[in-house]
Amino acid sequence: MSYPGYPPQSGGYPPQAGGYPSQPGAYPPQAGGYPPGQGGYPPAQGCYPPAAGGYPQQAGGYPPQAGGYPPAAGGYPPQASGYPPAAGGFPPQSGYQPQPGAGGYPSMPPTGEDWIFKPYSIHTISGCKDKSINEDKLSQQGYPGGPAPGQPMPNYPGAPSTNPSMPGYGGGAPSHPQAPAIPKGYRGSIKDFPGADPLRDVEVLRKAMKGFGTDENAIIELLGNRTNKQRVPMVAAYKTTYGKDLIHDLKSELTGNFENLVLSMLMSPAHFDASELREAIKGAGTDEACLIEILSSRSNAEIQEINRIYKAEYGKKLEDAISSDTSGHFRRLLISLSQGNRDERETVDISLAKQDAQKLYSAGENKVGTDESQFNAILCARSKPHLRAVFQEYQKMSGRDIEKSICREMSGNLESGMVAVVKCIRDTPTYFAERLHKAMKGAGTKDRTLIRVMVSRSEVDMLDIRQAYVRTYGKSLYTDISGDTSGDYKKLLLKLCGGSD
């Protein structure tokens, strides 16, 4: 059955009388059609291009005759009868008429794409990875050596007041906007499996678990080839299909680190982060490094979702849990990070970066004692591209890396927390490569850290972490995981790793 008019009947395609080619007024038109007659296109006198004296122009047009462009003797701007051209030239006489000053050079009409101003043609620092400040560009602005204690840096704003409130940031367009970083594309090691269906996938899981023994390889192959958004629906699909709880069945069939890894992969990222924060806080000790790792590396939206889930799952606000389990300036650091309220603008204003660098210097190295509140205000509220510029400016003005200054000025959990925030902001893949290396080196393996990083970064930047790992430690992440783990646990971790470098 064909749809009405498809293919069309009389008057359709090919058209009958009045169709294509069309009759008078149709396409191509006859008199009065297209191209139009008098007053149509090309237009009559006064339209574009004009008739008499149009394009190409007659005497006095473009290129102009004697006295046109290039101008006659007398130089630029041209004298009378210069550019704009004489009558009949461009621009046409009727229509848009620029209004030059006496003997001046008129501005062209602001129409068409050719006249659009390109905002990054001036003051743009191109090729800056991750929108950080180009070091070669900044290195042209050298600083003298650090001043004596108590003295402000030359050419820098004065030291901040004793009020630890956040310094002003923003307000208008940055003086040196940066070009956005070139998107690198997907940097995860796990990709969507084409045509994945949770109802078919749970059949594989059910078959792997029922009967005597468990087919761990089937579970590894399935979960290791599905992204998180393809794995999470399996929990509901399993209950819909079999009337049983998938998590409960997996717990009854699996053990040890392999069980923990499988269950972690079946949770949404925010649920997984909330559960890890809960584990880090509850009990006798606190895993401060886990708290800093999650809160310093997640986006505002992710942290706000973690807060929502934490309250729903555990009946307590994350901020309250942190407050009751930590103390002092370290507690302030964690609470600031847990707000999920960091500036996320991508542009960088160098003058503001210099001001913040001066404030950090005045709050630490250039002061007896340390104003921890100033460090907290800047490191927890500023955007990551801005902070990368601040760290470079700080190095230039003080002659010391910001991490070393923090180590000189602080101690304990606050020191390790501040340093971790700086590392994560400065180079996130290298930070996570270090976390993985520390989890595996030595006599024992910190399996919770290993699982958390491998699961949470497998669809974010695992390819970059692998590159940073081999660059920093001389061995591939794949090789170290293979040598430090075993069995089904190792097989599934290597799936998340994605390959050797």
Side-chain angles (χ1 to χ4, degrees):
M1 171 182 175
S2 62
Y3 289 96
Y6 184 81
Q9 303 306 313
S10 177
Y13 183 85
Q16 306 304 315
Y20 182 96
S22 49
Q23 300 307 309
Y27 183 92
Q30 307 306 313
Y34 182 89
Q38 190 76 13
Y41 184 93
Q45 187 166 358
C47 299
Y48 183 85
Y55 186 86
Q57 295 96 334
Q58 306 306 313
Y62 184 86
Q65 304 307 312
Y69 183 87
Y76 179 88
Q79 307 304 315
S81 79
Y83 189 86
F90 182 89
Q93 296 311 300
S94 57
Y96 178 85
Q97 294 293 333
Q99 302 299 322
Y105 190 92
S107 59
M108 297 303 292
T111 58
E113 289 187 346
D114 290 342
W115 309 108
I116 296 176
F117 175 65
K118 307 299 182 185
Y120 284 112
S121 60
I122 301 175
H123 298 306
T124 300
I125 304 174
S126 60
C128 298
K129 184 177 180 182
D130 294 331
K131 306 174 184 66
S132 58
I133 300 305
N134 187 297
E135 293 185 14
D136 294 334
K137 186 79 173 178
L138 294 177
S139 64
Q140 299 171 9
Q141 307 170 7
Y143 294 97
Q151 300 300 317
M153 286 296 299
N155 300 324
Y156 269 78
S161 64
T162 54
N163 183 355
S165 62
M166 280 177 44
Y169 181 63
S175 58
H176 295 279
Q178 283 191 282
I182 298 173
K184 296 188 297 183
Y186 183 70
R187 302 299 295 165
S189 54
I190 303 291
K191 298 180 180 178
D192 282 336
F193 187 83
D197 181 355
L199 292 175
R200 290 202 305 268
D201 288 344
V202 295
E203 291 180 15
V204 176
L205 292 175
R206 178 65 178 162
K207 183 178 179 181
M209 290 187 287
K210 78 174 184 178
F212 182 76
T214 304
D215 186 353
E216 288 87 355
N217 284 330
I219 296 174
I220 292 168
E221 285 302 311
L222 178 68
L223 298 183
N225 288 287
R226 300 292 188 275
T227 58
N228 184 266
K229 69 180 181 181
Q230 293 176 325
R231 297 191 301 259
V232 171
M234 294 180 193
V235 178
Y238 192 89
K239 186 168 287 188
T240 299
T241 305
Y242 303 108
K244 300 185 70 177
D245 185 81
L246 175 59
I247 304 302
H248 180 271
D249 282 2
L250 287 169
K251 284 182 176 180
S252 67
E253 296 288 331
L254 309 178
T255 58
N257 289 320
F258 181 55
E259 174 192 339
N260 294 333
L261 177 56
V262 167
L263 297 182
S264 298
M265 293 175 69
L266 290 170
M267 302 171 73
S268 71
H271 273 88
F272 183 41
D273 284 342
S275 69
E276 288 295 288
L277 290 170
R278 169 74 170 172
E279 288 296 320
I281 292 172
K282 77 174 188 178
T286 302
D287 187 349
E288 293 87 359
C290 170
L291 299 178
I292 287 291
E293 174 198 307
I294 293 175
L295 294 177
S296 64
S297 62
R298 307 308 193 244
S299 68
N300 287 346
E302 289 168 338
I303 291 174
Q304 289 160 11
E305 179 67 5
I306 291 168
N307 275 289
R308 185 190 68 77
I309 291 174
Y310 196 97
K311 179 69 163 62
E313 291 286 326
Y314 308 113
K316 188 176 185 179
K317 291 174 63 177
L318 175 60
E319 179 181 330
D320 294 338
I322 291 172
S323 182
S324 63
D325 206 58
T326 55
S327 61
H329 285 286
F330 182 63
R331 173 167 61 191
R332 294 187 195 180
L333 173 66
L334 292 174
I335 290 177
S336 294
L337 292 173
S338 70
Q339 300 309 299
N341 198 32
R342 181 184 295 280
D343 181 2
E344 291 186 332
R345 284 177 288 186
E346 297 293 342
T347 54
V348 176
D349 189 323
I350 299 300
S351 64
L352 292 176
K354 291 179 178 180
Q355 289 179 29
D356 279 350
Q358 173 65 46
K359 288 170 182 175
L360 291 176
Y361 183 76
S362 299
E365 293 279 3
N366 202 32
K367 175 184 175 69
V368 177
T370 306
D371 183 359
E372 293 89 354
S373 295
Q374 190 66 266
F375 279 83
N376 199 84
I378 292 175
L379 292 180
C380 297
R382 299 294 195 259
S383 73
K384 293 182 178 181
H386 174 84
L387 285 172
R388 285 190 280 268
V390 171
F391 301 155
Q392 289 180 338
E393 294 295 327
Y394 187 92
Q395 172 80 39
K396 294 181 180 210
M397 65 173 288
S398 68
R400 182 173 285 122
D401 186 84
I402 184 71
E403 289 180 34
K404 293 181 179 178
S405 290
I406 290 173
C407 293
R408 285 163 56 95
E409 296 293 322
M410 303 174 193
S411 60
N413 288 333
L414 179 62
E415 174 193 341
S416 57
M418 289 279 188
V419 168
V421 171
V422 169
K423 286 181 176 180
C424 186
I425 289 171
R426 174 180 276 160
D427 188 340
T428 304
T430 300
Y431 167 75
F432 278 110
E434 181 182 341
R435 293 284 293 154
L436 289 168
H437 183 71
K438 287 183 176 179
M440 291 185 285
K441 77 173 185 178
T445 301
K446 297 181 177 65
D447 292 292
R448 179 171 289 278
T449 299
L450 182 58
I451 291 171
R452 181 176 61 252
V453 175
M454 294 302 295
V455 171
S456 65
R457 309 310 291 187
S458 62
E459 297 177 43
V460 181
D461 54 0
M462 183 57 67
L463 300 184
D464 296 325
I465 292 171
R466 281 164 40 183
Q467 291 177 1
Y469 197 96
V470 72
R471 181 176 65 247
T472 306
Y473 304 107
K475 290 190 296 182
S476 73
L477 176 61
Y478 193 96
T479 300
D480 274 0
I481 291 175
S482 298
D484 208 64
T485 58
S486 61
D488 298 319
Y489 176 48
K490 175 178 77 173
K491 291 178 185 177
L492 190 49
L493 281 174
L494 294 178
K495 283 279 189 182
L496 293 173
C497 182
S500 183
D501 296 284

